[in-house]
């Protein structure tokens, strides 16, 4: 199955699996090459959180807007 054939939840998990730190929503969107709207990605993140596959933590951020935002990461067996 090529990357183009994968459903969005699998693509999001792939992106988070290789990330060294939790990623902000905008970083996930960029990693997916802006092929999906932020609302679509956020919907997937919420579903994955409910399933216990993804966790979020507040992280400080730079730039305009809020000074803290949720960073998303895969939940490992030890978490």
């Amino acid at each position: 199955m090529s990357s183009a054939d994968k459903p969005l939840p699998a693509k999001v998990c792939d992106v988070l699996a290789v990330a060294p730190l939790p990623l902000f929503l905008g970083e996930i969107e960029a990693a997916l090459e802006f092929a999906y709207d932020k609302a679509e990605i956020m919907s997937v993140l919420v579903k994955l959180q409910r399933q216990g596959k993804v966790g979020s933590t507040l992280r400080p951020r730079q730039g305009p807007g809020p000074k803290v935002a949720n960073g998303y990461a895969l939940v490992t067996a030890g978490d």
Side-chain angles (χ1 to χ4, degrees), residues 12-76:
V12 169
C13 287
D14 288 348
V15 167
L16 294 176
V18 297
L21 295 172
L23 296 176
F24 296 121
L25 177 58
E27 293 171 325
I28 297 169
E29 181 186 30
L32 294 172
E33 299 178 348
F34 301 97
Y36 300 93
D37 187 48
K38 285 184 181 178
E40 291 176 280
I41 298 168
M42 192 66 227
S43 175
V44 167
L45 287 170
V46 168
K47 289 174 185 173
L48 291 171
Q49 282 183 297
R50 287 186 181 159
Q51 294 171 2
K53 296 179 181 179
V54 170
S56 67
T57 56
L58 281 178
R59 289 185 47 214
R61 64 179 291 283
Q62 307 261 330
K67 298 301 176 198
V68 292
N70 277 323
Y72 299 92
L74 285 181
V75 175
T76 59

